[in-house]
Amino acid sequence: MAVNLVKGQRSNIETNSFNVGLGWDINSRGESDLDVTAFMLDESGNTISESFIVFYNQLESADKAVVHTGDNRTGDGDGDDEVISVDISKLDSRVDQIVFVVTIHEAEERGQNFGQVRNSYIRITDKKSNEEIMIYELDEDYSVEKSIEFGRLYKRSGQWKFEAMGIGYMEDLGFFVQKYGLEV
Ligand SMILES: [Ca+2]
Ligand SMILES: [Ca+2]
């Protein structure tokens, strides 16, 4: 049985190899292109280097532990729209947490925000069995936000856990690159 997380809740991850899937739908008025980005941070909360940011324009981390399966530009249809797979056993030993941020491509230019986004979730599935381990459906309404820190994987005493974050921002991807310690 999958664990249903609510905002702020944490849960242990007992498998080394899993997929982190993002799903969303758009309500009327044209298309929105949501993008999920994984920032791989060290103990101080900074991105290890540029090659440890995984997103549609850089599909694999330097250690090959985190792999994005490709850009989805519409969110059309059910199920995961963008997927990032994680193999804990390959992770660079400096990686202390991985934050998943979802942004809207060209939100500013297109005048788009999360008020137009529906049914969004992040879920973790076991890569071997394809079983859903946990899911976090955004449980509050967002309106003007242009980006969301959706969730994070982090390590405590050797145990990997997932935390449902759901923190909305008015910022674009560049903001998070700076927030997590790199120059834009
Ligand atoms: Ca996309
Ligand atoms: Ca969808």
PDB file of all heavy atoms in Angstrom, residues 59-81:
ATOM      1  N   LEU A  59      20.118  15.752 -18.754  1.00  0.00           N
ATOM      2  CA  LEU A  59      19.273  14.624 -18.352  1.00  0.00           C
ATOM      3  C   LEU A  59      19.927  13.681 -17.355  1.00  0.00           C
ATOM      4  O   LEU A  59      19.260  12.802 -16.822  1.00  0.00           O
ATOM      5  CB  LEU A  59      18.833  13.844 -19.592  1.00  0.00           C
ATOM      6  CG  LEU A  59      17.905  14.598 -20.563  1.00  0.00           C
ATOM      7  CD1 LEU A  59      17.636  13.758 -21.816  1.00  0.00           C
ATOM      8  CD2 LEU A  59      16.593  14.989 -19.900  1.00  0.00           C
ATOM      9  N   GLU A  60      21.222  13.870 -17.095  1.00  0.00           N
ATOM     10  CA  GLU A  60      21.895  12.917 -16.220  1.00  0.00           C
ATOM     11  C   GLU A  60      22.882  13.640 -15.312  1.00  0.00           C
ATOM     12  O   GLU A  60      23.594  14.540 -15.754  1.00  0.00           O
ATOM     13  CB  GLU A  60      22.653  11.910 -17.094  1.00  0.00           C
ATOM     14  CG  GLU A  60      23.081  10.657 -16.387  1.00  0.00           C
ATOM     15  CD  GLU A  60      23.634   9.626 -17.384  1.00  0.00           C
ATOM     16  OE1 GLU A  60      24.762   9.832 -17.879  1.00  0.00           O
ATOM     17  OE2 GLU A  60      22.937   8.647 -17.675  1.00  0.00           O
ATOM     18  N   SER A  61      22.929  13.240 -14.035  1.00  0.00           N
ATOM     19  CA  SER A  61      23.898  13.833 -13.106  1.00  0.00           C
ATOM     20  C   SER A  61      25.289  13.274 -13.378  1.00  0.00           C
ATOM     21  O   SER A  61      25.434  12.229 -14.018  1.00  0.00           O
ATOM     22  CB  SER A  61      23.493  13.540 -11.663  1.00  0.00           C
ATOM     23  OG  SER A  61      23.408  12.147 -11.447  1.00  0.00           O
ATOM     24  N   ALA A  62      26.313  13.969 -12.866  1.00  0.00           N
ATOM     25  CA  ALA A  62      27.698  13.567 -13.114  1.00  0.00           C
ATOM     26  C   ALA A  62      27.965  12.139 -12.632  1.00  0.00           C
ATOM     27  O   ALA A  62      28.732  11.412 -13.251  1.00  0.00           O
ATOM     28  CB  ALA A  62      28.645  14.544 -12.436  1.00  0.00           C
ATOM     29  N   ASP A  63      27.317  11.737 -11.535  1.00  0.00           N
ATOM     30  CA  ASP A  63      27.534  10.382 -11.007  1.00  0.00           C
ATOM     31  C   ASP A  63      26.600   9.349 -11.655  1.00  0.00           C
ATOM     32  O   ASP A  63      26.628   8.176 -11.316  1.00  0.00           O
ATOM     33  CB  ASP A  63      27.351  10.371  -9.483  1.00  0.00           C
ATOM     34  CG  ASP A  63      25.986  10.911  -9.055  1.00  0.00           C
ATOM     35  OD1 ASP A  63      25.109  11.092  -9.933  1.00  0.00           O
ATOM     36  OD2 ASP A  63      25.796  11.165  -7.853  1.00  0.00           O
ATOM     37  N   LYS A  64      25.761   9.800 -12.566  1.00  0.00           N
ATOM     38  CA  LYS A  64      24.791   8.955 -13.293  1.00  0.00           C
ATOM     39  C   LYS A  64      23.741   8.312 -12.370  1.00  0.00           C
ATOM     40  O   LYS A  64      23.059   7.362 -12.759  1.00  0.00           O
ATOM     41  CB  LYS A  64      25.508   7.865 -14.114  1.00  0.00           C
ATOM     42  CG  LYS A  64      26.513   8.436 -15.108  1.00  0.00           C
ATOM     43  CD  LYS A  64      26.947   7.373 -16.096  1.00  0.00           C
ATOM     44  CE  LYS A  64      28.105   7.836 -16.976  1.00  0.00           C
ATOM     45  NZ  LYS A  64      27.848   9.123 -17.670  1.00  0.00           N
ATOM     46  N   ALA A  65      23.603   8.812 -11.164  1.00  0.00           N
ATOM     47  CA  ALA A  65      22.636   8.240 -10.218  1.00  0.00           C
ATOM     48  C   ALA A  65      21.237   8.795 -10.433  1.00  0.00           C
ATOM     49  O   ALA A  65      20.248   8.169 -10.076  1.00  0.00           O
ATOM     50  CB  ALA A  65      23.087   8.520  -8.785  1.00  0.00           C
ATOM     51  N   VAL A  66      21.159   9.976 -11.007  1.00  0.00           N
ATOM     52  CA  VAL A  66      19.876  10.663 -11.179  1.00  0.00           C
ATOM     53  C   VAL A  66      19.681  10.946 -12.665  1.00  0.00           C
ATOM     54  O   VAL A  66      20.526  11.598 -13.292  1.00  0.00           O
ATOM     55  CB  VAL A  66      19.837  11.972 -10.352  1.00  0.00           C
ATOM     56  CG1 VAL A  66      18.538  12.730 -10.578  1.00  0.00           C
ATOM     57  CG2 VAL A  66      20.018  11.658  -8.859  1.00  0.00           C
ATOM     58  N   VAL A  67      18.599  10.425 -13.227  1.00  0.00           N
ATOM     59  CA  VAL A  67      18.382  10.512 -14.677  1.00  0.00           C
ATOM     60  C   VAL A  67      16.952  10.995 -14.971  1.00  0.00           C
ATOM     61  O   VAL A  67      15.980  10.420 -14.480  1.00  0.00           O
ATOM     62  CB  VAL A  67      18.603   9.136 -15.356  1.00  0.00           C
ATOM     63  CG1 VAL A  67      18.341   9.241 -16.852  1.00  0.00           C
ATOM     64  CG2 VAL A  67      20.010   8.632 -15.087  1.00  0.00           C
ATOM     65  N   HIS A  68      16.847  12.037 -15.760  1.00  0.00           N
ATOM     66  CA  HIS A  68      15.556  12.577 -16.216  1.00  0.00           C
ATOM     67  C   HIS A  68      15.199  11.872 -17.519  1.00  0.00           C
ATOM     68  O   HIS A  68      16.017  11.778 -18.421  1.00  0.00           O
ATOM     69  CB  HIS A  68      15.724  14.084 -16.437  1.00  0.00           C
ATOM     70  CG  HIS A  68      14.442  14.853 -16.616  1.00  0.00           C
ATOM     71  ND1 HIS A  68      13.515  14.557 -17.582  1.00  0.00           N
ATOM     72  CD2 HIS A  68      13.960  15.927 -15.943  1.00  0.00           C
ATOM     73  CE1 HIS A  68      12.503  15.421 -17.500  1.00  0.00           C
ATOM     74  NE2 HIS A  68      12.747  16.253 -16.503  1.00  0.00           N
ATOM     75  N   THR A  69      13.953  11.375 -17.613  1.00  0.00           N
ATOM     76  CA  THR A  69      13.616  10.587 -18.800  1.00  0.00           C
ATOM     77  C   THR A  69      13.120  11.436 -19.971  1.00  0.00           C
ATOM     78  O   THR A  69      12.809  10.898 -21.030  1.00  0.00           O
ATOM     79  CB  THR A  69      12.565   9.508 -18.477  1.00  0.00           C
ATOM     80  OG1 THR A  69      11.394  10.158 -17.997  1.00  0.00           O
ATOM     81  CG2 THR A  69      13.068   8.547 -17.416  1.00  0.00           C
ATOM     82  N   GLY A  70      13.048  12.759 -19.785  1.00  0.00           N
ATOM     83  CA  GLY A  70      12.713  13.592 -20.935  1.00  0.00           C
ATOM     84  C   GLY A  70      11.619  14.607 -20.670  1.00  0.00           C
ATOM     85  O   GLY A  70      10.764  14.408 -19.812  1.00  0.00           O
ATOM     86  N   ASP A  71      11.685  15.689 -21.422  1.00  0.00           N
ATOM     87  CA  ASP A  71      10.758  16.814 -21.262  1.00  0.00           C
ATOM     88  C   ASP A  71       9.350  16.437 -21.713  1.00  0.00           C
ATOM     89  O   ASP A  71       9.170  15.808 -22.751  1.00  0.00           O
ATOM     90  CB  ASP A  71      11.286  17.976 -22.118  1.00  0.00           C
ATOM     91  CG  ASP A  71      10.591  19.291 -21.805  1.00  0.00           C
ATOM     92  OD1 ASP A  71       9.868  19.365 -20.788  1.00  0.00           O
ATOM     93  OD2 ASP A  71      10.795  20.253 -22.576  1.00  0.00           O
ATOM     94  N   ASN A  72       8.361  16.836 -20.919  1.00  0.00           N
ATOM     95  CA  ASN A  72       6.961  16.752 -21.339  1.00  0.00           C
ATOM     96  C   ASN A  72       6.461  18.188 -21.391  1.00  0.00           C
ATOM     97  O   ASN A  72       6.619  18.931 -20.428  1.00  0.00           O
ATOM     98  CB  ASN A  72       6.156  15.919 -20.335  1.00  0.00           C
ATOM     99  CG  ASN A  72       4.674  15.850 -20.683  1.00  0.00           C
ATOM    100  OD1 ASN A  72       4.023  16.878 -20.884  1.00  0.00           O
ATOM    101  ND2 ASN A  72       4.137  14.664 -20.749  1.00  0.00           N
ATOM    102  N   ARG A  73       5.876  18.585 -22.497  1.00  0.00           N
ATOM    103  CA  ARG A  73       5.554  20.013 -22.678  1.00  0.00           C
ATOM    104  C   ARG A  73       4.107  20.379 -22.452  1.00  0.00           C
ATOM    105  O   ARG A  73       3.737  21.549 -22.541  1.00  0.00           O
ATOM    106  CB  ARG A  73       5.978  20.444 -24.082  1.00  0.00           C
ATOM    107  CG  ARG A  73       7.466  20.238 -24.268  1.00  0.00           C
ATOM    108  CD  ARG A  73       8.028  21.107 -25.351  1.00  0.00           C
ATOM    109  NE  ARG A  73       9.471  21.138 -25.233  1.00  0.00           N
ATOM    110  CZ  ARG A  73      10.279  21.477 -26.222  1.00  0.00           C
ATOM    111  NH1 ARG A  73       9.781  21.819 -27.387  1.00  0.00           N
ATOM    112  NH2 ARG A  73      11.573  21.492 -26.025  1.00  0.00           N
ATOM    113  N   THR A  74       3.253  19.388 -22.173  1.00  0.00           N
ATOM    114  CA  THR A  74       1.830  19.704 -22.033  1.00  0.00           C
ATOM    115  C   THR A  74       1.172  19.134 -20.787  1.00  0.00           C
ATOM    116  O   THR A  74       0.194  19.678 -20.290  1.00  0.00           O
ATOM    117  CB  THR A  74       1.037  19.158 -23.242  1.00  0.00           C
ATOM    118  OG1 THR A  74       1.157  17.744 -23.246  1.00  0.00           O
ATOM    119  CG2 THR A  74       1.552  19.738 -24.541  1.00  0.00           C
ATOM    120  N   GLY A  75       1.679  18.023 -20.249  1.00  0.00           N
ATOM    121  CA  GLY A  75       1.020  17.342 -19.128  1.00  0.00           C
ATOM    122  C   GLY A  75      -0.232  16.594 -19.553  1.00  0.00           C
ATOM    123  O   GLY A  75      -0.991  16.124 -18.710  1.00  0.00           O
ATOM    124  N   ASP A  76      -0.422  16.459 -20.856  1.00  0.00           N
ATOM    125  CA  ASP A  76      -1.620  15.759 -21.353  1.00  0.00           C
ATOM    126  C   ASP A  76      -1.671  14.324 -20.857  1.00  0.00           C
ATOM    127  O   ASP A  76      -0.663  13.629 -20.821  1.00  0.00           O
ATOM    128  CB  ASP A  76      -1.610  15.729 -22.897  1.00  0.00           C
ATOM    129  CG  ASP A  76      -2.175  17.022 -23.473  1.00  0.00           C
ATOM    130  OD1 ASP A  76      -2.708  17.816 -22.691  1.00  0.00           O
ATOM    131  OD2 ASP A  76      -2.059  17.205 -24.710  1.00  0.00           O
ATOM    132  N   GLY A  77      -2.847  13.877 -20.472  1.00  0.00           N
ATOM    133  CA  GLY A  77      -3.052  12.476 -20.124  1.00  0.00           C
ATOM    134  C   GLY A  77      -2.816  12.160 -18.661  1.00  0.00           C
ATOM    135  O   GLY A  77      -2.324  12.992 -17.908  1.00  0.00           O
ATOM    136  N   ASP A  78      -3.193  10.933 -18.271  1.00  0.00           N
ATOM    137  CA  ASP A  78      -3.043  10.478 -16.889  1.00  0.00           C
ATOM    138  C   ASP A  78      -1.626   9.984 -16.641  1.00  0.00           C
ATOM    139  O   ASP A  78      -0.854   9.790 -17.564  1.00  0.00           O
ATOM    140  CB  ASP A  78      -4.016   9.327 -16.609  1.00  0.00           C
ATOM    141  CG  ASP A  78      -5.464   9.809 -16.618  1.00  0.00           C
ATOM    142  OD1 ASP A  78      -5.679  11.028 -16.413  1.00  0.00           O
ATOM    143  OD2 ASP A  78      -6.360   8.980 -16.827  1.00  0.00           O
ATOM    144  N   GLY A  79      -1.336   9.741 -15.388  1.00  0.00           N
ATOM    145  CA  GLY A  79      -0.049   9.140 -15.036  1.00  0.00           C
ATOM    146  C   GLY A  79       1.073  10.159 -14.968  1.00  0.00           C
ATOM    147  O   GLY A  79       0.858  11.368 -15.076  1.00  0.00           O
ATOM    148  N   ASP A  80       2.281   9.661 -14.781  1.00  0.00           N
ATOM    149  CA  ASP A  80       3.442  10.545 -14.631  1.00  0.00           C
ATOM    150  C   ASP A  80       3.722  11.273 -15.943  1.00  0.00           C
ATOM    151  O   ASP A  80       3.782  10.661 -17.001  1.00  0.00           O
ATOM    152  CB  ASP A  80       4.673   9.723 -14.243  1.00  0.00           C
ATOM    153  CG  ASP A  80       4.493   9.002 -12.915  1.00  0.00           C
ATOM    154  OD1 ASP A  80       3.601   9.394 -12.140  1.00  0.00           O
ATOM    155  OD2 ASP A  80       5.255   8.051 -12.658  1.00  0.00           O
ATOM    156  N   ASP A  81       3.910  12.571 -15.842  1.00  0.00           N
ATOM    157  CA  ASP A  81       4.205  13.362 -17.040  1.00  0.00           C
ATOM    158  C   ASP A  81       5.716  13.587 -17.211  1.00  0.00           C
ATOM    159  O   ASP A  81       6.213  13.631 -18.324  1.00  0.00           O
ATOM    160  CB  ASP A  81       3.455  14.687 -16.982  1.00  0.00           C
ATOM    161  CG  ASP A  81       1.946  14.472 -17.027  1.00  0.00           C
ATOM    162  OD1 ASP A  81       1.475  13.808 -17.968  1.00  0.00           O
ATOM    163  OD2 ASP A  81       1.243  14.937 -16.116  1.00  0.00           O
TER     164      ASP A  81
END
